[in-house]
Amino acid sequence: MTQIAPYGTWASAVSPRLVATAAPAMEQPTVDGENLYWLESRPSENGRTTIFQRDSRGKIRDILPSPLSASSRVYEYGGAPYLVVENILYFVLQDDQRIYRMGADAARPQPEPLTPDNQGYRFADLTLDATRQRLLCVAEQHSVGTPEPRNFIAAIPLDGSQQVGELVAGADFYACPRLSPDQHTLSWLCWNHPQMPWDGTELWCAPLDGQGRPTAPQRVAGSSTESICQPQWSPDGELFFISDRSDWWNLYRQRHNGTLEAVCPMAAEFCGAPWRLGVVTYGFAAEHQVVAAYTQNGVWRLATIQLDTTTGANAQAWHELHLPCSSIGSIAVSGARTWFIGASPTRASVLACIDLDRERGAVRPIHPSSSPLLPVDGISAARAISFPTTHNGTAHGFYYAPCNPEFSGPAGARPPLLVMCHGGPTGCADTALNYKIQFWTSRGFAVCDINYRGSTGYGRRYRDALTGLWGVIDVDDVVAGARHLIGNGLADPERMIIRGSSAGGYTVLAALTRYDDFGAGASYYGIGDLEILARDTHKFESRYLDKLIGPYPAARDLYRTRSPIHHIDKLSSPVIFFQGLDDRVVPPQQAQLMVDAMRRKGLPVSYVPFPGEGHGFRQAANIAAALQAELEFYQQVFALTPGSQQAVER
């Protein structure tokens, strides 16, 4: 029996609490001997990030003593806060940003600090230099009275002296210090203002002298207009990396004779935007075999590449592995086994293993092992869409239809549409099961998750289309996507909602001040005043807007023109704001200014601040509370209260 009820009013088992706790956020798996490790965020423990171990017997346990949390704040977004070598765990403690060491199998672990306290240091992207008994890493030092922190590649001795030595310095940013297999050569990435790492980076390489210091460094690849990502050394000492020199982030290698070769060039991306350090999307199963994840049209896949040892990559040796997933995060490769974090349109993220020695590759879920929380017929699966937009462009996204096996909408009725704007703006939406989306579709909303121009996954030209036009074409694209769905009878034009977080929150506010298509909006730690963002944000993004809008203050008039705070008079739709009060990326002042301006104008507005939250909510109670408040806000705006219901047979 199915009940007929107005769209947007359906009762749903997908509660705010389920959304906040259902799918653990896992990342950065790594292998040490027979043990597998990974990071996992625990919203139920106030957003603590812990380190899990799966041993050779399949036993899984949390090896980081509670309430310790492993998290780096280098570049504010962090990443790569831990390393395990020969059963020794090295990790960055969230509370003080120091590096600690402890036995990974210790019954009563006693973390030992390896770096000094109270000197403003932060660390990330650790690698072990076993020959010289030291850690190499990306370091960041904050000092009182300096305009911005200083970044460099550091050497941390393992003798307990708590010294921080500088190996490479001079650039504004660094990433990926990597040692060759013989530990005689160091490679690294660097870039300078105003580039972001997806705009232009340089890959450098240098032999190490008797004291372990780089000498006569040479640039291997990269420039201010070429983005290099994820350098890695192959087992036989060739330097691999990902470059977008062909328009696509493809895999390359430097041969022993110094020549550079593309490894299976194709119209696909082998990585995403490197917002966080330490993400790995390829590795070496054998001396001449690569396992790589790649994405095309928003769908991720995994493949093996058998390398030709004489003329370069042999395209005929490409073999796609057929996985039950469409989204892949970091991978870890060890011999014939590859571990990856994957998801599909009907299953949330799972840590899984594929055995290359088995016929067709046998995929085994590792964690979590529980069955999906929703039946397949209760899940709205992503449907890829492309649609025309301004400037003769084409934009992309994913459409989710209302879906609840217990309800149907009235004949001839159209559902309210929720348009979602991802952050970044150099980011992307994918097809992985997202309980936040199912929260809405199970209640009778349609959802459109937009990959507006500027998103990753569609090549550099698509990514660069946003250059100088942030707040213009991204807004055009979300409106064009909504109108495309209306034109196809998939949404109610009178009940349109737009929501987004961070840069997506800015797109929300810009859309509400430029167009009147949307009847309500939700901004999660979004941006209302671009001038404040340009002046007050952290180092990593302090020149980001140079490319997206123009150099500040030279382009101040343009910043004011595109700032929603200066166009409150054009805003007529109700808006709800959510803001972490500890946010250092988009400070709370941004939300408060917008709320105060709307209240002065007498416009309907709601403000929900969260003490103890930063840029992106981590605590389960706050995630659930925000979602519940957002639902109640829309219910009030659009009078979405359960009406008459009729049971019919289906």
Side-chain angles (χ1 to χ4, degrees):
M1 300 291 288
T2 302
Q3 297 182 72
I4 294 178
Y7 288 110
T9 68
W10 302 348
S12 171
V14 186
S15 67
R17 181 70 183 177
L18 184 148
V19 173
T21 60
M26 299 173 291
E27 60 179 337
Q28 298 180 355
T30 189
V31 179
D32 177 50
E34 295 296 316
N35 296 334
L36 174 70
Y37 300 86
W38 67 92
L39 293 171
E40 185 169 317
S41 178
R42 312 300 294 274
S44 60
E45 299 180 38
N46 293 323
R48 169 178 175 250
T49 298
T50 189
I51 301 168
F52 271 78
Q53 178 200 72
R54 182 181 188 270
D55 65 20
S56 58
R57 297 168 296 172
K59 181 181 178 181
I60 295 175
R61 67 188 186 97
D62 179 351
I63 66 169
L64 196 64
S66 180
L68 301 185
S69 180
S71 181
S72 168
R73 287 182 50 207
V74 170
Y75 308 148
E76 295 299 337
Y77 296 102
Y82 83 110
L83 174 72
V84 187
V85 180
E86 297 183 350
N87 286 328
I88 301 298
L89 168 66
Y90 307 91
F91 69 96
V92 178
L93 182 64
Q94 177 177 305
D95 289 346
D96 60 15
Q97 292 296 290
R98 301 170 76 186
I99 298 176
Y100 288 78
R101 170 176 59 189
M102 72 179 213
D105 293 327
R108 294 183 177 180
Q110 296 292 326
E112 171 196 2
L114 295 178
T115 54
D117 195 12
N118 298 320
Q119 293 189 22
Y121 284 116
R122 301 177 182 182
F123 303 97
D125 216 348
L126 316 179
T127 191
L128 179 68
D129 182 354
T131 299
R132 302 163 186 86
Q133 283 296 287
R134 61 184 183 175
L135 289 176
L136 307 182
C137 60
V138 175
E140 181 173 288
Q141 186 173 26
H142 294 247
S143 301
V144 176
T146 58
E148 62 181 23
R150 190 172 58 91
N151 293 96
F152 56 96
I153 294 177
I156 311 297
L158 299 181
D159 60 8
S161 62
Q162 299 188 17
Q163 299 298 307
V164 178
E166 291 190 19
L167 284 186
V168 184
D172 290 323
F173 303 97
Y174 290 92
C176 303
R178 300 292 182 262
L179 278 172
S180 60
D182 62 10
Q183 300 206 323
H184 291 163
T185 308
L186 176 68
S187 64
W188 66 89
L189 292 178
C190 62
W191 66 100
N192 290 297
H193 288 312
Q195 276 74 43
M196 300 298 289
W198 45 84
D199 295 329
T201 57
E202 295 180 348
L203 172 59
W204 288 79
C205 189
L208 299 177
D209 64 17
Q211 286 71 47
R213 303 194 65 83
T215 60
Q218 298 290 322
R219 185 173 62 85
V220 176
S223 68
S224 62
T225 57
E226 178 186 4
S227 173
I228 306 292
C229 303
Q230 295 185 39
Q232 293 190 53
W233 294 89
S234 71
D236 69 341
E238 290 187 336
L239 184 56
F240 281 64
F241 58 93
I242 296 171
S243 167
D244 66 358
R245 59 176 58 187
S246 70
D247 182 46
W248 301 90
W249 267 318
N250 276 195
L251 193 59
Y252 291 79
R253 65 172 170 171
Q254 183 185 45
R255 303 303 301 271
H256 289 297
N257 62 9
T259 61
L260 300 182
E261 293 180 347
V263 178
C264 290
M266 58 192 297
E269 306 263 62
F270 283 73
C271 67
W275 280 96
R276 291 169 61 80
L277 295 166
V279 175
V280 176
T281 54
Y282 74 96
F284 301 94
E287 188 170 343
H288 302 296
Q289 187 181 46
V290 177
V291 181
Y294 66 100
T295 180
Q296 289 177 309
N297 299 317
V299 177
W300 282 87
R301 298 175 175 87
L302 197 67
T304 62
I305 309 167
Q306 192 68 38
L307 300 173
D308 187 313
T309 60
T310 57
T311 60
N314 182 350
Q316 299 305 312
W318 174 277
H319 175 65
E320 183 179 333
L321 302 171
H322 297 285
L323 306 179
C325 62
S326 59
S327 177
I328 299 174
S330 284
I331 72 172
V333 184
S334 180
R337 293 180 178 177
T338 297
W339 289 265
F340 63 93
I341 296 168
S344 76
T346 56
R347 180 152 189 175
S349 292
V350 61
L351 177 60
C353 177
I354 183 167
D355 195 329
L356 303 179
D357 284 346
R358 299 187 183 184
E359 186 177 357
R360 296 184 179 180
V363 178
R364 294 181 291 114
I366 301 296
H367 180 76
S369 58
S370 59
S371 58
L373 299 176
L374 297 176
V376 173
D377 65 350
I379 294 174
S380 179
R383 190 180 88 192
I385 60 172
S386 297
F387 47 89
T389 184
T390 57
H391 306 290
N392 296 316
T394 298
H396 311 282
F398 300 103
Y399 170 74
Y400 296 82
C403 182
N404 187 322
E406 298 182 3
F407 289 91
S408 292
R414 299 181 185 182
L417 176 68
L418 193 70
V419 175
M420 299 181 66
C421 311
H422 66 69
T426 311
C428 65
D430 63 19
T431 61
L433 175 62
N434 184 333
Y435 285 107
K436 287 184 180 179
I437 291 177
Q438 304 304 315
F439 177 87
W440 300 107
T441 57
S442 64
R443 287 169 167 75
F445 291 81
V447 173
C448 185
D449 207 357
I450 300 285
N451 274 328
Y452 46 76
R453 286 168 289 181
S455 303
T456 59
Y458 301 89
R460 175 143 190 163
R461 281 191 291 272
Y462 192 81
R463 197 166 78 241
D464 281 349
L466 198 60
T467 299
L469 294 172
W470 189 36
V472 180
I473 66 170
D474 54 321
V475 174
D476 293 343
D477 291 353
V478 297
V479 172
R483 291 176 178 176
H484 171 78
L485 295 176
I486 290 171
N488 284 276
L490 299 174
D492 182 353
E494 300 303 318
R495 294 183 296 172
M496 303 266 286
I497 303 164
I498 185 168
R499 77 186 299 271
S501 57
S502 190
Y506 166 68
T507 301
V508 166
L509 300 175
L512 291 172
T513 55
R514 283 188 53 206
Y515 290 93
D516 59 5
D517 291 62
F518 300 102
S523 170
Y524 281 74
Y525 35 93
I527 301 146
D529 191 325
L530 294 170
E531 286 190 272
I532 291 178
L533 185 67
R535 292 193 303 260
D536 296 344
T537 194
H538 57 116
K539 176 185 176 181
F540 182 66
E541 293 184 75
S542 63
R543 300 288 297 278
Y544 190 15
L545 302 191
D546 283 22
K547 181 174 181 180
L548 295 174
I549 301 172
Y552 186 84
R556 185 185 181 201
D557 289 346
L558 197 55
Y559 278 70
R560 293 180 63 84
T561 298
R562 295 195 194 161
S563 293
I565 191 68
H566 299 302
H567 303 287
I568 297 296
D569 59 318
K570 299 178 182 177
L571 182 61
S572 58
S573 299
V575 183
I576 186 168
F577 293 83
F578 300 92
Q579 180 68 48
L581 296 184
D582 293 346
D583 195 337
R584 294 177 175 82
V585 178
V586 179
Q589 180 187 13
Q590 290 276 359
Q592 192 65 61
L593 286 172
M594 286 294 299
V595 171
D596 291 346
M598 291 185 67
R599 285 174 176 166
R600 285 195 298 269
K601 291 286 186 179
L603 297 173
V605 61
S606 182
Y607 180 46
V608 186
F610 290 104
E613 291 284 15
H615 197 66
F617 302 159
R618 298 171 59 87
Q619 301 178 37
N622 293 339
I623 295 170
L627 206 52
Q628 181 64 37
E630 188 181 354
L631 172 63
E632 292 174 355
F633 185 74
Y634 300 151
Q635 288 174 333
Q636 181 178 3
V637 170
F638 296 104
L640 296 173
T641 55
S644 60
Q645 301 178 359
Q646 178 182 359
V648 297
E649 292 186 5
R650 295 292 186 195

